[in-house]
Structures are given as structure tokens and as C-alpha cells.
Amino acid sequence: MQVTKRSVKNDWTLFTLENDRGMSLDVLDFGGVVTRLTVPDRHGKSENIVLAFDDIDDYKKNKPYFGALIGPVAGRIQQAMFTLGEKKINLKPSEGRHELHGGEAGYHQKLWNVESFQTDTEVGVVLQGSWNDRAYNYPGSVQVTVTYTLTNDNEWIIAYQAITDEMTPLTLTNHTYFNLTGDRTHSIAGHQVQMKSEGYLELDEELIPTGLIDSGNGGPFDFSRERLIKSGSGSGHKQNQVAGDGYDHYFLLKKGSAEQVRVKEPTSGRVLSMETTQPGVVFYTGNGLNEDFVLSDGKKAKKHSGFCLEAQGPPASLHHKGLPSIWLKPGEEYKHQTVYRFSMD
């Protein structure tokens, strides 16, 4: 087990976490961005399984949010507004009429204070930041701590903690794109997904939840049994078409379930399991990726060359009743954990 660090462009620092089983994780202090995650396949060959930019300067914009920490509110806030008591709060739109992933105030654009740690069984980094984003109309000053831990059990654990001095919406996630083949330009169509879900949030034409929870039973949104990603991206189902011929939907997870999401790639044998304390996950299949994004090794991204499992609370709860709340009050602590576990089949 070891942690190393080195200076890179823009006076940023890149931390490399390595365990004793051939797995490693590279993290930038800028945006908490994961730039590399190497995992062995069934033959013991370690390959990078996440999408990252070839030019580190591209993280200054990071339009696809490769590997980034997302906040203060992950996801889309309808019409870039919400109400706090009787007061209407208007944010700055960043995607059409809506705000996406914190907009210009997003945590993916912040320089975090980072400290590393190491024990006999795990290594990691602790990212800390304290921000007042009133310039973008978010209420309160928020203190955030995010810990990335790599274990000898081939687990990447993300622990989130935050407090605020004013009531404010907050839900954090990580936006890493995975491709378990080890070839980041290879389609994820053949990945097999299984999920313990209560249903998903229906989207309108602008990718905003309508408030309707659809059980998805029997169709391309039913992951109670293993389902190929391509069975949804090529289904012709209206909700797949709305999302750009794939998935970009919030799934409500069954409470207390172990291994809530399982993704298997048959060729490499790699398996990714996810468990989280969050109430749900956005399953996104890279529908907006294209060759404008140059990946590491000079390869170009393609549609469906990566998928995301963004464990988080639903920002739709700011506009629709009956969904888990994302409000954080003074005196309360935001505390969640997501575990990505890697194995072989």
C-alpha cells in the first residue's frame, strides 16, 4: 500500500493511491477529479477503466464532468430555482433554463485542500473545502469533507460529510465514467447491469423529472435481472429516446440492500458492485459523449463509451413531493458513503 503525489500543470497536485493487488487510483486536488483507475481483469492484467482527458487543461471546463466531485447539488435543478420558506431563490442557469451539477459554482471547479493517509490495509486522501456560494445565490456557507479510500479488498470508498450555517440544498456525488473492458473507446453496450430498484423518475424532453415514479416492470428499465445496456439504448422506449438513446435516469434504490448495483463485463471478467447510503443513483450511459473529447492516450470519446453510477439524493425533491429531501439544516450533518467494489467473474 502506498500514496505518492506529484505536481502537474496549473500548480495542481496529482495523488496516486496503490493497493497490494494491482489496483490504483489517481486523484487531482482540482475538482477531486479521478483521472485514472486501474483494475485487473480475469487474467491479472491491470488496465485503466475510467474516462479521462488527455490534456489536463481540459479539466478547467470539463463539460462531461469526467471523474469529478459534484456539488453543491448534483443533477438538474428545474428552471434554476427553488423556494426556501416563502422566498424564491434564483440560481444561474447552466444548461438551457436549468442548473446542472452546481453550474459555475460547482465543486468540480474548486481547488480542494488535500491530505493523504496510509495504513496496512488502506490508503486514501481527504479533500476539504469551505465555500460561500452566495454569488451564485446558494444560501449559506458550507464546509465539506470528502474522503477517497482504496482498500486491499479492491474497494474504492467515497465518504461525504458536510455542515452548513444556513438551510441549503445539498447532495454530492462523483461523476466517474467507467468502461470495464479496459478500452475507453469500446462501447459499453455489452455490459450487463443488475439493480435493486423501486423504480425510476420519468423525464420530460429537457431531462427534468416530471415527478412520476415508474416501476419499470418488464421493460428496459427493469434491472431486477441482468440486462444488457444495449437492450435499453436500442429499445425505442420513449424514455430511452428522451435521454439520447440510453439512460440518464434517477433510480430509487431498495433500502438496506447489499450490492444495490452490479455491472459485469463478460470479455474482461471485471465486475463492479456498488453499495450506498444514498436513496438512489443516476444511471447515465454517456449518451452525450462524442469525439470532441480527447481521452488519455490520445483516443477520442464516443457515444456510450462509458457509464456513470452517480449515487445521490434527487434534486427533483425541490419541486415534487414524495421524494427524499436534499435540504441540509444548521446543526445537522450531511453524511453518506458510496462503495465501488471490484472483482472478477
Side-chain angles (χ1 to χ4, degrees), residues 155-171:
E155 295 172 326
W156 170 26
I157 304 171
I158 311 177
Y160 304 91
Q161 294 173 277
I163 57 173
T164 182
D165 62 358
E166 292 184 36
M167 188 168 176
T168 193
L170 187 85
T171 183

Side-chain angles (χ1 to χ4, degrees), residues 86-151:
E86 297 181 357
K87 184 179 180 181
K88 182 178 179 181
I89 306 293
N90 290 300
L91 307 173
K92 293 186 177 181
S94 60
E95 187 185 63
R97 301 183 299 155
H98 315 294
E99 197 224 46
L100 175 63
H101 294 329
E104 294 179 12
Y107 293 172
H108 67 292
Q109 293 292 294
K110 307 286 192 184
L111 188 64
W112 294 74
N113 298 314
V114 183
E115 296 289 338
S116 63
F117 63 89
Q118 180 176 340
T119 72
D120 291 339
T121 58
E122 60 186 31
V123 289
V125 287
V126 180
L127 302 97
Q128 293 183 309
S130 180
W131 293 293
N132 177 331
D133 290 320
R134 287 190 179 89
Y136 301 95
N137 290 340
Y138 274 100
S141 296
V142 181
Q143 296 179 38
V144 183
T145 300
V146 180
T147 303
Y148 289 172
T149 302
L150 178 63
T151 76

Side-chain angles (χ1 to χ4, degrees), residues 317-333:
S317 63
L318 296 174
H319 295 89
H320 299 284
K321 296 180 180 180
L323 297 174
S325 173
I326 64 167
W327 287 105
L328 180 64
K329 301 175 183 178
E332 295 181 346
E333 182 183 27

Side-chain angles (χ1 to χ4, degrees), residues 36 47-52 177 179 181-187 295-297 299-302 305-306:
R36 186 175 182 85
E47 295 176 293
N48 179 29
I49 62 163
V50 302
L51 275 58
Y177 290 75
N179 187 321
T181 67
D183 180 353
R184 279 85 64 202
T185 61
H186 194 282
S187 173
L295 305 178
S296 51
D297 305 323
K299 297 179 179 180
K300 294 183 178 181
K302 298 178 182 178
S305 56

Side-chain angles (χ1 to χ4, degrees), residues 46-302:
S46 289
E47 295 176 293
N48 179 29
I49 62 163
V50 302
L51 275 58
F53 285 119
D54 188 56
D55 186 346
I56 202 168
D57 280 337
D58 288 340
Y59 290 111
K60 291 179 180 179
K61 293 184 179 180
N62 200 1
K63 187 176 180 181
Y65 304 94
F66 284 152
L69 275 177
I70 302 296
V73 174
R76 294 175 177 85
I77 297 181
Q78 183 177 344
Q79 296 182 5
M81 62 78 61
F82 55 85
T83 56
L84 178 55
E86 297 181 357
K87 184 179 180 181
K88 182 178 179 181
I89 306 293
N90 290 300
L91 307 173
K92 293 186 177 181
S94 60
E95 187 185 63
R97 301 183 299 155
H98 315 294
E99 197 224 46
L100 175 63
H101 294 329
E104 294 179 12
Y107 293 172
H108 67 292
Q109 293 292 294
K110 307 286 192 184
L111 188 64
W112 294 74
N113 298 314
V114 183
E115 296 289 338
S116 63
F117 63 89
Q118 180 176 340
T119 72
D120 291 339
T121 58
E122 60 186 31
V123 289
V125 287
V126 180
L127 302 97
Q128 293 183 309
S130 180
W131 293 293
N132 177 331
D133 290 320
R134 287 190 179 89
Y136 301 95
N137 290 340
Y138 274 100
S141 296
V142 181
Q143 296 179 38
V144 183
T145 300
V146 180
T147 303
Y148 289 172
T149 302
L150 178 63
T151 76
N152 258 340
D153 293 323
N154 279 4
E155 295 172 326
W156 170 26
I157 304 171
I158 311 177
Y160 304 91
Q161 294 173 277
I163 57 173
T164 182
D165 62 358
E166 292 184 36
M167 188 168 176
T168 193
L170 187 85
T171 183
L172 312 179
T173 195
N174 180 277
H175 209 289
T176 291
Y177 290 75
F178 301 98
N179 187 321
L180 301 182
T181 67
D183 180 353
R184 279 85 64 202
T185 61
H186 194 282
S187 173
I188 57 170
H191 286 55
Q192 299 168 335
V193 182
Q194 191 168 9
M195 190 184 308
K196 296 176 181 177
S197 168
E198 302 283 2
Y200 71 96
L201 299 186
E202 179 189 77
L203 300 177
D204 67 15
E205 297 292 335
E206 296 179 271
L207 301 179
I208 299 299
T210 64
L212 175 66
I213 301 174
D214 191 321
S215 68
N217 289 343
F221 288 81
D222 185 351
F223 290 97
S224 58
R225 296 182 180 180
E226 283 187 354
R227 174 179 293 279
L228 291 171
I229 288 178
K230 67 180 179 182
S231 71
S233 59
S235 72
H237 190 287
K238 182 179 179 180
Q239 281 295 296
N240 290 129
Q241 292 178 336
V242 162
D245 191 28
Y247 298 94
D248 193 4
H249 295 76
Y250 187 88
F251 287 80
L252 292 155
L253 297 172
K254 291 184 177 180
K255 296 179 181 178
S257 297
E259 196 180 62
Q260 292 151 309
V261 184
R262 187 175 191 267
V263 185
K264 180 172 67 176
E265 200 287 302
T267 304
S268 68
R270 293 186 180 97
V271 178
L272 166 56
S273 301
M274 190 199 80
E275 296 175 9
T276 186
T277 61
Q278 293 278 15
V281 61
V282 174
F283 178 43
Y284 176 53
T285 51
N287 317 312
L289 296 177
N290 57 57
E291 293 189 352
D292 290 341
F293 307 119
V294 181
L295 305 178
S296 51
D297 305 323
K299 297 179 179 180
K300 294 183 178 181
K302 298 178 182 178

